[in-house]
Amino acid sequence: MKHLKKQRVLVVCIILWCLAGCEQSVPESVRDAGKLVVLTRNAPTTYYIGRDRPMGFEHDLVTAFAASLGVEVEFKMRHTIASVLEAIDRGEAHIAAAGLTRTPQRERTFLFGPDYHMVQQQVVCHRDGPRPRRLRDLPNVEILIIKNSSYEERLKELQDMLPELRWKTTAYWVTEEVLERVWRKQLDCTVADSTIVSINRRYHPELVVAFPITDPQPLAWILRPGSTDLRHALGRWFEEDAQNDLLRTLRDRYFGHVEIFDYVDVRTYHRHIEKRLPEFRPLFEHAAKTHQLPWTLLAAVAYQESHWRPKAKSPTGVRGIMMLTQPTARALGVTNRLDPVQSINAGAKHLSQQFRRVPKKVQNPDRMWFGLAAYNVGMNHLLDAMVLAERLDKNPHVWRDLKTVLPLLAKRKYFETLRYGYARGSEPVRFVRRIRNYREILERQF
């Protein structure tokens, strides 16, 4: 894997060099500071520390913009949306990038950049607790929301229609913490943006969306007062086709796999993490370390394959905790597919082999999704899908495009023209989506 790390570093350097060669005019405030100063929140939809680096939708988008200016980014953390807004109003940073909704009330106070994503405010409750069915039921439940948030602004609008509507606010907790308290039945309901709800339902599966209370609303960065030159620079950057492609990539990377929620599956998974995983976790950790994989990734694959049942068997003859076929097991030296030690080690080795075989033009994190798809459907079919993607004028080296092409391998119109023919191409797409969800849930807990 060392050569992959070197390759990633090289690619990043090339990208930055190219951007520096065509960098746009640097706004005066940014040039004077020598860097782009950004206010954000530590949250899964904005900015967080991954296994080896900072990441998040807002982090990646801001970093790309700074690279286009040829400057570095300094992130300043604030705990709440209110504190972010107060700090940007005082001019403590150039940009506030924290999942901020553009609303009429905020536009009267703040200078916004271009819209870059759409969200919807949703009423969220516990599936076994008080749950309103429609707007007129809202006064019948206890609601807690974030103070000075877009949620509060919307509830004030609804109060004109429902004078009896009441709610409480918190200036201390963040939205994720309020959602957790609803999940623990300490509160009836709250209001949150759809992206935040989608991510957090995987960790708290009993959360349910009662109904939306807004149409889709845009997210946008808020700029330091008087930053008209920065606003113009942002406008030019967001208008470029390359940045539109970047936005699509980031949306898919951070939100594409959480759009579909299966309560029964996620609830069962949490139960198995508690009951079954402890027995096999040391085996996953050892095999993953041997083959230079994240153990949470290996464990997620095993769960998708067998639900961590060492004697699992499918009608097609695959067996064991990693559900190995007989030919694969034989090629990997496995003598007993029902032995979890042999099965997990072989699965780790096989997965590592698939990652190494992914074409070098595919970069992380997409490289991981390509390897997982190959683990599921076979590398030959994956390569066929990449050929087909090129024919259809899609990018064969990004998962966002390839996952739309893979299902076409089951259609005669396409598979008859490909070297390896028919494949159930929808399966690797579902496989990758589930693995990403399972792994992120494990990462959150461990």
Side-chain angles (χ1 to χ4, degrees), residues 19-20 23-27 30 36 64-71 230 233 237:
L19 288 170
E23 67 183 39
Q24 55 178 301
S25 176
V26 181
V30 177
L36 183 69
F65 173 62
S68 75
L69 299 177
V71 299
L230 180 56
W237 187 69

Side-chain angles (χ1 to χ4, degrees), residues 115-165:
D115 301 340
Y116 59 84
H117 191 53
M118 302 298 288
V119 297
Q120 195 171 33
Q121 292 185 33
Q122 298 173 331
V123 176
V124 184
C125 310
H126 194 287
R127 68 183 305 113
D128 297 325
R131 197 192 322 174
R133 302 293 178 180
R134 56 191 69 81
L135 275 176
R136 68 170 178 261
D137 297 334
L138 279 181
N140 301 326
V141 295
E142 175 194 21
I143 300 173
L144 178 73
I145 58 170
I146 305 303
K147 187 175 182 178
N148 297 328
S149 63
S150 57
Y151 317 141
E152 186 172 19
E153 186 176 330
R154 177 55 177 159
L155 290 183
K156 287 179 179 178
E157 294 173 352
L158 293 176
Q159 204 171 39
D160 292 338
M161 296 183 292
L162 298 167
E164 67 274 28
L165 178 60

Side-chain angles (χ1 to χ4, degrees), residues 66 71 78 86 95 98 112 116 136-137 171 205 208 232 274 277 289 297 319 321 323 340 372 395 397 420 423 431 434:
V71 299
R78 293 295 183 271
E86 290 168 3
I95 290 173
F112 278 87
Y116 59 84
R136 68 170 178 261
D137 297 334
V208 294
H232 291 323
E274 180 181 351
L277 180 58
K289 184 176 181 180
L297 177 68
R319 304 192 70 178
I321 197 167
M323 295 296 270
L372 287 170
N395 189 336
H397 303 117
Y420 295 99
F431 181 83
R434 286 181 176 270

Side-chain angles (χ1 to χ4, degrees), residues 245-430:
D245 186 65
L246 172 65
L247 278 170
R248 288 192 293 269
T249 298
L250 293 180
R251 289 186 191 117
D252 181 71
R253 178 178 301 171
Y254 288 105
F255 308 129
H257 62 296
V258 301
E259 294 172 351
I260 301 174
F261 178 77
D262 183 335
Y263 166 72
V264 174
D265 177 64
V266 174
R267 186 69 193 92
T268 301
Y269 182 53
H270 279 275
R271 187 169 64 250
H272 288 163
I273 289 173
E274 180 181 351
K275 301 294 185 181
R276 293 181 182 175
L277 180 58
E279 178 182 354
F280 302 110
R281 179 177 172 180
L283 301 182
F284 291 132
E285 290 177 334
H286 176 75
K289 184 176 181 180
T290 300
H291 295 283
Q292 296 182 302
L293 299 169
W295 80 266
T296 49
L297 177 68
L298 183 60
V301 171
Y303 185 80
Q304 170 62 22
E305 297 287 50
S306 70
H307 282 205
W308 297 327
R309 291 179 294 128
K311 295 184 180 180
K313 180 179 179 180
S314 82
T316 58
V318 293
R319 304 192 70 178
I321 197 167
M322 299 301 294
M323 295 296 270
L324 302 173
T325 65
Q326 187 63 57
T328 298
R330 192 163 41 243
L332 295 169
V334 174
T335 58
N336 180 6
R337 286 182 289 169
L338 302 186
D339 176 0
V341 175
Q342 290 192 51
S343 184
I344 290 172
N345 282 329
K349 182 177 181 180
H350 186 45
L351 187 58
S352 180
Q353 289 173 342
Q354 300 310 308
F355 288 152
R356 288 197 295 271
R357 293 179 63 196
V358 173
K360 292 182 178 180
K361 286 186 178 181
V362 180
Q363 300 301 311
N364 272 325
D366 291 43
R367 189 175 189 83
M368 184 173 291
W369 317 143
F370 276 60
L372 287 170
Y375 183 93
N376 177 264
V377 75
M379 182 58 71
N380 290 331
H381 289 304
L382 184 79
L383 295 175
D384 267 357
M386 295 178 72
V387 170
L388 182 57
E390 281 198 288
R391 291 181 191 169
L392 298 175
D393 292 326
K394 294 180 179 290
N395 189 336
H397 303 117
V398 298
W399 180 247
R400 185 194 72 238
D401 281 359
L402 198 73
K403 72 178 183 179
T404 67
V405 174
L406 276 163
L408 302 180
L409 299 186
K411 297 182 180 295
R412 182 181 298 276
K413 174 183 176 180
Y414 298 104
F415 72 69
E416 284 188 340
T417 69
L418 298 169
R419 181 176 181 182
Y420 295 99
Y422 173 85
R424 294 192 298 272
S426 295
E427 289 189 6
V429 176
R430 287 193 296 269

Side-chain angles (χ1 to χ4, degrees), residues 72-214:
E72 295 184 350
V73 186
E74 177 187 341
F75 287 98
K76 291 185 175 182
M77 296 296 125
R78 293 295 183 271
H79 184 60
T80 64
I81 292 294
S83 59
V84 169
L85 296 178
E86 290 168 3
I88 194 65
D89 194 40
R90 290 193 298 265
E92 295 181 13
H94 299 110
I95 290 173
L100 302 169
T101 307
R102 180 196 296 273
T103 66
Q105 182 174 319
R106 286 178 175 172
E107 283 197 296
R108 288 193 288 270
T109 305
F110 299 105
L111 180 67
F112 278 87
D115 301 340
Y116 59 84
H117 191 53
M118 302 298 288
V119 297
Q120 195 171 33
Q121 292 185 33
Q122 298 173 331
V123 176
V124 184
C125 310
H126 194 287
R127 68 183 305 113
D128 297 325
R131 197 192 322 174
R133 302 293 178 180
R134 56 191 69 81
L135 275 176
R136 68 170 178 261
D137 297 334
L138 279 181
N140 301 326
V141 295
E142 175 194 21
I143 300 173
L144 178 73
I145 58 170
I146 305 303
K147 187 175 182 178
N148 297 328
S149 63
S150 57
Y151 317 141
E152 186 172 19
E153 186 176 330
R154 177 55 177 159
L155 290 183
K156 287 179 179 178
E157 294 173 352
L158 293 176
Q159 204 171 39
D160 292 338
M161 296 183 292
L162 298 167
E164 67 274 28
L165 178 60
R166 298 290 184 272
W167 60 89
K168 296 179 181 179
T169 63
T170 174
Y172 178 73
W173 294 335
V174 295
T175 303
E176 291 79 8
E177 292 174 297
V178 176
L179 286 170
E180 181 177 354
R181 281 163 174 78
V182 173
W183 174 67
R184 294 185 183 279
K185 293 187 175 181
Q186 296 169 352
L187 303 168
D188 287 349
C189 301
T190 188
V191 178
D193 285 341
S194 50
T195 49
I196 299 176
V197 175
S198 295
I199 288 175
N200 281 273
R201 288 183 77 189
R202 298 174 304 156
Y203 312 130
H204 309 309
E206 282 75 23
L207 293 176
V208 294
V209 175
F211 49 82
I213 59 171
T214 66

